[in-house]
């Protein structure tokens, strides 16, 4: 296995390494004419240009690009996105640039609609004259008529009965040249605990969800009305394989590593280990192989699978049955969330990119108290199915000034290659699609990293450790109300804990900086209470006990937020949550 990372690495170091290793002439910087429409907000290697191909499409997920250049996008809605209102029309979108200016002026929506009860999906692919898409619990096929970019007829069902419960209800897929449809059915839970994401809850033996979850299934894209069942499982032990790419007979899959090692097992892991464990993974899919979840996780620093604490692990030393599990081809920093994968055979980029893999990293939510990370597109050089060098950050700057789930301007969720060799990247915050092209020296050799994205800036009064977080100190000077029975100092300390600057607090990971909400947890500033009456005592009780079965969001909240908070810490956080839930001056 290629060791691609041993923890949180700096983008600047990638650029320095790539520049040192590049063997050929430098690529020229793209001219203004090469990037019509101005700055697209991304940082890229020299010679590359990004333009905004389409925007405001909804929660855009995966993409497929037809030989005629039409880009097909699947979009999603529902509880995963806090039930935000999707755009009118179908969840599937066809995009065409008819005049060659790098922007899609033709946009057609089709498929299931919100009005009809649809919620869209993630997976989408083209095969044998048809568009295949995930719609709810089905994979369907639309016939694409000659001369039209969007279908007019109803789809046929290819596979139905896909599991939709739990933490990972999405079903990305890829289709090879023979019509084999490889489908991800991700885990319902974080680590198959008796109580999902709860502190020191043991792992279930056997882990029954492996029968229908945490693996890749294989179906026949040429057949109709197939039923999802355990019988078609192709490989197991893959917690969440959202990125799938085909390279001839090889199938590559990304794996989202598990969460909450230090939060759920504080006796075995130090708080600073949580943000760095376990690694994200690139796998080569083998029929019948077991990649280790839930019993094992991959430790990037040790470069091996080790036993998970739910199954007898001791904090990273014991290996046990993990010695028998299939390992990864490459590893990446923890919690970056690899959401999509694309093989590059486009021919437009320099030859060093040929046969390599682009990975869209959605970005972390659970690296607190360390800064959140990811929110980028990475390139992994490959040849003959093996990594040929360390990965580099190819495109950065998607998140803008706030790298966190609630504040990121954009989060990469899909990546695809067009027939002209352009690279497309989708965003599932507002539905932006970027088109990345090369305008540098065609003789360029080597792979170069993107320059570092502009630094996230802390508040003017913030100092260590607050200065490590872009939001730190930004509420200085704002007077929050103080609940009866608490003090101004309690509210201030609660803010620090909530945002991860004291006591190992992790609240902002799900609820966003300063409680504004994210796809994982509700906006606490709205004053809407599902588990109490909003009083200080009620909020304190919910924080202390946790929420094991959330009603409107997918992620449970462990007692005390999964952090090692004492009673005074809990009281301070409760005071802060009470304060931000009140209107200004209220």
């Amino acid at each position: 296995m290629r060791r691609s990372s041993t923890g949180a690495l700096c983008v600047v170091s990638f650029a320095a390494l790539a520049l040192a290793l590049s063997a050929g002439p430098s690529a020229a910087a793209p001219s203004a004419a090469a990037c019509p429409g101005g700055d697209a907000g991304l940082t890229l290697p020299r010679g590359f240009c990004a333009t905004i191909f389409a925007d405001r499409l909804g929660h855009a997920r995966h993409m497929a690009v037809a030989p005629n250049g039409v880009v097909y996008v699947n979009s999603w809605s529902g509880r995963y996105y806090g039930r935000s209102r999707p755009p009118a029309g179908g969840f599937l979108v066809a995009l065409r640039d008819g005049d060659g200016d790098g922007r899609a002026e033709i946009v057609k929506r089709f498929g299931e609609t919100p009005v009809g009860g649809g919620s869209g999906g993630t997976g989408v692919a083209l095969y044998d004259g048809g568009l295949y898409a995930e719609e709810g619990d089905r994979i369907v096929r639309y016939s694409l008529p000659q001369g039209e970019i969007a279908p007019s007829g109803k789809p046929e069902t290819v596979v139905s009965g896909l599991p939709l419960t739990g933490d990972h209800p999405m079903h990305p897929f890829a289709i090879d040249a023979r019509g084999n449809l490889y489908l991800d059915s991700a885990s319902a839970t974080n680590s198959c605990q008796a109580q999902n994401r709860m502190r020191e809850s043991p792992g279930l033996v056997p882990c029954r969800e492996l029968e229908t979850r945490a693996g890749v299934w294989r179906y026949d894209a040429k057949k109709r009305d197939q039923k999802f069942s355990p019988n078609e499982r192709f490989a197991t032990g893959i917690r969440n394989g959202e990125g799938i790419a085909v390279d001839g007979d090889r199938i590559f899959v990304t794996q989202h590593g598990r969460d909450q090692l230090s939060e759920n097992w504080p006796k075995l892991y130090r708080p600073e280990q949580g943000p760095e464990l376990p690694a994200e993974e690139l796998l080569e899919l083998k029929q019948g192989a077991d990649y280790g979840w839930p019993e094992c996780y991959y430790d990037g620093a040790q470069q091996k699978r080790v036993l998970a604490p739910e199954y007898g692990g001791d904090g990273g030393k014991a290996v046990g049955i993990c010695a028998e599990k299939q390992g990864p081809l490459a590893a990446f920093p923890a919690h970056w969330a690899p959401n999509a994968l694309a093989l590059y055979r486009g021919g437009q980029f320099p030859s060093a990119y040929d046969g390599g893999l682009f990975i869209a990293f959605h970005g972390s939510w659970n690296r607190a108290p360390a800064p959140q990370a990811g929110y980028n597109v990475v390139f992994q050089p490959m040849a003959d199915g093996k990594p040929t060098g360390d990965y580099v950050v190819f495109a950065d700057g998607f998140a803008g000034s706030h790298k966190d789930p609630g504040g990121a301007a954009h989060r990469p969720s899909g990546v695809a290659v067009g027939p002209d060799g352009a690279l497309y990247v989708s965003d599932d915050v507002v539905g932006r699609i970027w088109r990345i092209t090369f305008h540098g020296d065609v003789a360029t050799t080597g792979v170069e990293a993107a320059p570092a994205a502009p630094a996230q800036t802390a508040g003017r009064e913030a100092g260590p450790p607050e200065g490590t977080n872009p939001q730190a100190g930004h509420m200085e000077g704002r007077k929050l109300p103080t609940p009866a029975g608490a003090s101004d100092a309690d509210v201030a300390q609660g803010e620090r804990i909530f945002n991860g600057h004291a006591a190992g607090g992790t609240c902002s990971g799900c609820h966003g900086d300063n409680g504004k909400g994210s796809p994982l947890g509700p906006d606490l500033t709205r004053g809407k209470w599902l588990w109490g009456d909003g009083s200080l005592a009620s909020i304190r009780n919910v924080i202390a006990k946790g929420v094991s079965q959330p009603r409107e969001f997918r992620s449970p909240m462990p007692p005390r937020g999964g952090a090692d908070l004492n009673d005074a810490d809990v009281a301070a956080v409760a005071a802060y949550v009470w304060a931000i839930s009140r209107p200004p001056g209220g």
Side-chain angles (χ1 to χ4, degrees), residues 1-21:
M1 190 215 76
R2 184 77 187 183
R3 183 180 184 181
S4 291
S5 169
T6 57
L9 300 178
C10 176
V11 175
V12 176
S13 69
F14 299 149
L17 176 63
L19 286 169
L21 295 181

Side-chain angles (χ1 to χ4, degrees), residues 64-259:
V65 189
N68 62 1
V70 175
V71 178
Y72 293 95
V73 185
N74 202 351
S75 64
W76 201 14
S77 185
R79 65 187 175 93
Y80 196 84
Y81 294 98
R83 302 196 182 280
S84 61
R85 180 177 295 179
F91 284 100
L92 290 161
V93 189
L95 305 168
R96 169 179 277 172
D97 173 12
D99 57 11
D101 65 351
R103 294 176 180 270
E105 66 278 349
I106 302 171
V107 180
K108 292 191 176 182
R109 306 190 77 101
F110 61 97
E112 286 189 339
T113 65
V115 173
S119 59
T122 292
V124 63
L126 291 156
Y127 177 72
D128 195 26
L131 180 77
Y132 291 69
E134 174 192 0
E135 289 187 345
D137 71 341
R138 301 178 301 154
I139 304 298
V140 299
R141 181 188 184 277
Y142 289 90
S143 292
L144 295 175
Q146 288 287 337
E148 300 291 334
I149 69 170
S152 55
K154 293 184 177 181
E156 301 173 292
T157 297
V158 179
V159 184
S160 62
L162 307 179
L164 296 178
T165 57
D167 291 355
H168 306 119
M170 64 288 288
H171 298 92
F173 62 91
I175 304 173
D176 71 13
R178 293 187 293 274
N180 293 305
L181 189 155
Y182 296 94
L183 170 78
D184 170 50
S185 180
S187 71
T189 63
N190 177 38
S191 53
C192 205
Q193 293 172 283
Q195 285 189 289
N196 187 31
R197 298 181 185 271
M198 293 292 115
R199 179 175 288 198
E200 297 181 356
S201 178
L204 296 173
V205 181
C207 179
R208 295 281 184 200
E209 69 177 275
L210 285 170
E211 295 174 6
T212 56
R213 310 295 290 265
V216 172
W217 270 247
R218 184 175 65 181
Y219 291 91
D220 189 340
K222 298 183 289 294
K223 293 183 178 179
R224 305 291 177 261
D225 297 318
Q226 299 166 92
K227 304 296 183 184
F228 181 85
S229 79
N231 297 331
E232 289 76 35
R233 187 175 66 187
F234 187 80
T236 192
I238 303 171
R239 180 177 175 271
N240 185 10
E242 283 201 57
I244 307 176
V246 176
D247 183 12
D249 292 332
R250 297 187 180 97
I251 310 296
F252 298 109
V253 179
T254 58
Q255 172 157 230
H256 285 231
R258 56 157 302 155
D259 305 322

Side-chain angles (χ1 to χ4, degrees), residues 251-317:
I251 310 296
F252 298 109
V253 179
T254 58
Q255 172 157 230
H256 285 231
R258 56 157 302 155
D259 305 322
Q260 298 168 299
L261 281 170
S262 62
E263 293 92 338
N264 286 350
W265 301 92
K267 295 176 183 177
L268 298 176
Y269 299 90
R270 301 183 307 277
E272 60 268 25
Q273 289 181 284
E276 310 302 340
L277 288 173
E280 309 288 42
E281 302 175 46
L282 173 66
L283 312 172
E284 183 178 358
L285 202 62
K286 303 285 189 181
Q287 186 168 9
D290 185 343
Y291 294 86
W293 186 91
E295 296 97 338
C296 312
Y297 66 87
Y298 189 78
D299 185 318
Q302 298 189 72
Q303 299 186 62
K304 65 180 181 181
R305 295 209 185 278
V306 296
L307 270 178
E310 293 85 356
Y311 292 88
D314 56 3
K317 300 181 186 68

